[in-house]
Amino acid sequence: SSGINAEYGDETDVRVLRRIQLAKGLTEMSLKDYNQAAKTFLNIPCDSWNDEIISPLTLLIYTTLCALASFKRKDIQKLLIENNNFKQYLDMQPTIRNCILSFYNRRFNIGLQSLDMLKREFKLDLFLSPHIDDLYFFIRSESMKQYFAPYLCCDMVKMAAAFNTDVDSLELELMALVGGEGVKIDSFNKVLRAVKRNEKEQVRRDVIELCNTLQFKTQELIVKTAILKAGLVIKSSAPNIDEKPSTSSVRGGGPL
């Protein structure tokens, strides 16, 4: 009897934990904090799943989309592919598992095609539908960054083929994406180039900034020291409530 109660208690704890995590993850997703939502969903145990607000397969979809939209490649490997708890969810739907592997292995055209085929179905979901367009945009943007990351120079014709689009459309996407990312678009040669940073110039700027900061702090300290020596410290005129009146004042009947 005690063994049965203990087992029931464990299952109850798992259900309570799952429901708390589900509520937390859905709230984070509603606030468009997709990175934290994915991490919360990943902590939800796969055991004893029944009578929940969403199904395990739905949770798998939420987790996958939020993760692909916000995780770096190393996080996809560590937090998704090598996650023993999440593997139990992946076994339920090989299509989603293959989609994740496609993105991790840089086969972005296959991964994006898989998501496009499921997009209409995803839009029917009550919690997910308001976020589908944003999630798909972030997934595509993150994929483009990962595609270019290993290179100093990239052929935009090949890149367009990898993302199921034409070169002109890709160029428009990249113009919106690479602003301030250390990347330059060569429209004439249809090449994407990494901008080489002048490390010496950056060090020079850092040193100048540090010297200016030190100079300001030194001058400030000199001024403070001069003020103290000159006795120009302004003291508060308000009486100190902790001070006790002198004995002479009390005895003399003077004003307190």
Side-chain angles (χ1 to χ4, degrees), residues 20-141:
I20 292 173
Q21 293 291 83
L22 274 174
K24 183 174 182 290
L26 290 173
T27 301
E28 289 162 346
M29 189 170 72
S30 70
L31 297 173
K32 298 188 178 184
D33 188 355
Y34 300 126
N35 186 275
Q36 189 56 51
K39 292 176 180 177
T40 299
F41 290 142
L42 283 166
N43 288 327
I44 296 178
C46 191
D47 304 326
S48 307
W49 190 291
N50 54 15
D51 299 328
E52 303 295 353
I53 191 172
I54 62 174
S55 68
L57 178 57
T58 302
L59 178 67
L60 170 63
I61 294 169
Y62 292 177
T63 310
T64 299
L65 292 179
C66 288
L68 291 177
S70 60
F71 282 7
K72 302 299 181 184
R73 188 168 180 268
K74 62 179 181 179
D75 293 327
I76 291 176
Q77 178 183 8
K78 181 179 179 181
L79 301 179
L80 292 185
I81 298 174
E82 297 178 354
N83 186 320
N84 290 328
N85 180 63
F86 190 64
K87 283 180 182 178
Q88 299 178 66
Y89 291 103
L90 287 175
D91 290 340
M92 301 176 189
Q93 182 53 269
T95 302
I96 300 294
R97 179 182 59 204
N98 293 337
C99 180
I100 292 174
L101 291 174
S102 295
F103 281 100
Y104 177 73
N105 292 321
R106 302 184 188 278
R107 296 198 297 267
F108 299 111
N109 58 336
I110 298 175
L112 292 170
Q113 283 176 352
S114 299
L115 289 182
D116 286 339
M117 292 173 61
L118 297 168
K119 187 173 184 178
R120 181 177 297 179
E121 180 181 344
F122 291 164
K123 282 196 170 184
L124 299 176
D125 185 273
L126 176 65
F127 298 108
L128 190 59
S129 57
H131 305 280
I132 282 296
D133 291 335
D134 284 342
L135 286 168
Y136 271 58
F137 172 79
F138 290 136
I139 290 171
R140 187 173 179 86
S141 298

